[in-house]
Every structure is written in structure tokens, then in C-alpha cells.
Amino acid sequence: MKRMFAGALVVAALGTMGCSGAKDAGPGAEAGAGTTRQSLEDLRAGLRVADQAMSDAAEKSGSAQAFADFAADDAVLMVDGAYAQKGKEAIRAWLAAHPLEAEGKVRWTPVRWDVSADGTLGYSLGNASVESGGTAVRPSGRYITAWKRQPDGQWRVAVAVRNAAKTAMTPPAGFTPSSTLPAAEPRALAPAQVLEEAKAADRAFSSQSTTEGMGKAFTAYAAEDAVLPLGSAGIFGREAIAKAYAPFTLEAIDLRWEPVLGDAAGSGDLAYTVGRAVATSKNDQGQPEVDHVKYLTVWRRQADGQWRYVTDGGNSSPGPQGP
């Protein structure tokens, strides 16, 4: 969530992250109102189409227009160094002033995308690139997007996190774009109830970070196939996360956070939380340094009933408010 971008210590050690979304009567609407008639693979394919359609729109008309077309009215955009932009119009205004395509045409491609069992919530994460001069294409960022499927069947962006990156995430051999792990037993609950479960897991996650250290917490709460958009090529899987986060002991960094908002699927298996974090570490002179972070964490309920994160990312904030 937050922690990977919490403070210069983590950023310097692991590197950086990207953006994404669906449209009126456009791609991603194939599901319509008949979710029960669709397979999980069909639902995943619809989300993948929406993500691609938003990228195509950004490449053609610019990022501000693409977000305006694909974002929910109450969408949230997280960019480095600023408080989160909240609401479609605020996002449009920010991107009009700070376009993702400032150096050329922007496009993005997910490396992972997945949906809830009931097809109402989904997420994607991947690589952003910029084409300049008509030929040169270079990596420009990485992104995580939480998606909400509307009553009309459209996928729309609920939350997007974008960060700059000089290299692309490169999945290892055997990596699958959607989870193949055993699924939790389906449930029929109010989304608000499911969200409270995810928030409770998020708070417990933070509690472990403050008592045992960030590295142990990130390992303990990772799904087996979790993906973090960090490092030179991304971090894929719990084992790789444990190795990458081992240096982040309680002595090295104090990272704590709290969820502020989020959403969940009524099927009780997928949720996301958005919140704020504080990282305290020491500079070269041994003096404490404090960094403020905002984050997005996507949670999946595992077959054993435990909530674990499947991806997590964030970036710096100018102060303790927010996200």
C-alpha cells in the first residue's frame, strides 16, 4: 500500500511505479446487467478490454480526456508529491495542467488484471510508456487501478495510482495475468460489511508493521501471487517480496498507516482500501526523517478465509492530511 513508497529509504531501495479505466456505451460494457450469465473469464476479459480502451483514448485524445471519459464521478487519482485528486472534474483539471503525455503519446498495458466473483469490482496493474518523435517508445511509469463496474455494465476507474519508472515490470516465467489460486467460498454480503473486513485487515497489517517491522508485515500479509510494482522489474510473489523487504526491519524504518476509504464486492472476495501512512527513518547523520504517504491496497480473501493483499502502491504526500 503505502509502505513501499514510504520514505526515501524504501524508494531508494526498491525503485518506483503508473495509471488506468471505461466508457459510456463503450468497451467493457459487454457484461451488461447479466453478470450471473457470465463466466469469470468473460468478466476478466471485459475488464482487460476497458483498460485497453482507456489507454487507446489517452493515446488519441490525451490523459485528461481519457480520465474524464473513463473515471467514476468520485474517482481518486494519486500522483507523487501532491494530495490525491478527488472527483472526475478535479482529475481532469489536474491532468490538463500536468498531462501524462507531456513528452509524447502515452499508453499503458497491464501485466495483471482480475475481478471479484460477482464481477462488480476489479483491478489492473502494469506499465506505462511514452512514444516521442513518432518512433521511440520508452517506459515512463507503472500503475495500479481499482475498477468499479457500474449498474449499466460499464467499468469505470475508482482509484488510480501512477508513478514514474525508467524500466518496465517484467513478469517471471509461469506468471499468469489473473489469479489461479483456489478461491474463497462465495458469500452474499453488503459491500460495506466486506469493506469493514478489509479495513480491519489493513489496520492489523499496520499494527504488525509497528510491532515487528515493515518487512515481516509485508511478507505475512502478501497473497502467494501478490505483485508489487517496485524495483527494476517488479516484485512477483510472496517469496520475492520476503526477500526484497527483509532489510526493512523495525530498527530501519517505522511505517504505520490507516485506511480512510475504499470499496468492496458483495461476493465478499475482493476489496480495496485507500489511506495515509507515516514513515520515520534516520538520515545519514542519524536524525529522524518523517515522510507522508498515500496508498491504494487491493485485497483478496483467500481460500482459508484470510484477507491478503494482491497488490499495493502509493506515493508521497506534502503533509499528514489526505489521502
Side-chain angles (χ1 to χ4, degrees):
M1 316 157 153
K2 38 274 167 188
R3 26 276 184 179
M4 36 203 116
F5 286 95
L9 175 65
V10 182
V11 175
L14 297 180
T16 48
M17 285 184 45
C19 83
S20 205
K23 181 167 174 108
D24 294 333
E30 296 85 353
T35 300
T36 57
R37 295 192 297 272
Q38 288 196 308
S39 70
L40 189 60
E41 287 309 310
D42 287 339
L43 292 165
R44 287 167 169 165
L47 178 60
R48 174 66 180 88
V49 168
D51 190 275
Q52 182 64 56
M54 186 178 178
S55 175
D56 292 345
E59 185 175 359
K60 180 180 179 180
S61 304
S63 52
Q65 188 58 49
F67 268 83
D69 289 343
F70 284 73
D73 289 342
D74 58 351
V76 176
L77 174 63
M78 298 184 191
V79 292
D80 194 41
Y83 287 121
Q85 306 300 310
K86 296 181 179 180
K88 179 188 296 189
E89 292 309 313
I91 293 171
R92 183 210 294 266
W94 195 93
L95 288 172
H98 309 85
L100 302 180
E101 64 278 5
E103 299 179 15
K105 292 184 178 180
V106 66
R107 64 181 67 134
W108 52 82
T109 305
V111 300
R112 166 148 285 186
W113 58 93
D114 214 341
V115 299
S116 59
D118 63 2
T120 62
L121 208 68
Y123 72 96
S124 58
L125 67 147
N127 300 306
S129 61
V130 168
E131 177 188 296
S132 57
T135 55
V137 178
R138 61 175 178 79
S140 65
R142 300 175 187 176
Y143 70 90
I144 301 174
T145 302
W147 297 81
K148 178 79 170 181
R149 190 160 165 266
Q150 307 300 303
D152 63 0
Q154 310 295 328
W155 284 104
R156 295 195 178 276
V157 174
V159 185
V161 178
R162 187 189 188 282
N163 287 289
K166 295 182 179 179
T167 59
M169 285 190 289
T170 307
F175 173 79
T176 57
S178 297
S179 179
T180 58
L181 296 177
E185 286 295 322
R187 301 180 293 170
L189 301 172
Q193 181 180 346
V194 182
L195 178 58
E196 283 308 309
E197 291 182 5
K199 283 184 174 180
D202 201 2
R203 295 185 189 102
F205 187 7
S206 176
S207 179
Q208 184 170 5
S209 178
T210 60
T211 57
E212 299 181 36
M214 171 183 170
K216 289 184 178 180
F218 261 86
T219 301
Y221 276 85
E224 183 181 335
D225 61 349
V227 181
L228 299 181
L230 297 168
S232 61
I235 306 176
F236 294 84
R238 183 191 296 147
E239 186 175 336
I241 291 169
K243 183 178 180 180
Y245 276 73
F248 302 123
T249 63
L250 196 57
E251 294 72 30
I253 183 170
D254 180 303
L255 182 62
R256 56 190 65 206
W257 57 88
E258 60 176 333
V260 176
L261 54 91
D263 203 352
S267 48
D269 60 328
L270 196 70
Y272 69 82
T273 51
V274 172
R276 50 182 169 248
V278 178
T280 305
S281 57
K282 292 182 180 180
N283 61 21
D284 293 340
Q285 290 73 45
Q287 299 302 311
E289 288 187 333
V290 177
D291 292 278
H292 298 283
V293 181
K294 55 192 178 296
Y295 70 87
L296 164 67
T297 302
V298 181
W299 298 86
R300 183 175 286 284
R301 188 169 176 267
Q302 307 297 298
D304 64 2
Q306 299 297 312
W307 284 97
R308 301 189 185 278
Y309 71 83
V310 290
T311 193
D312 173 284
N315 40 44
S316 67
S317 290
Q321 290 76 38

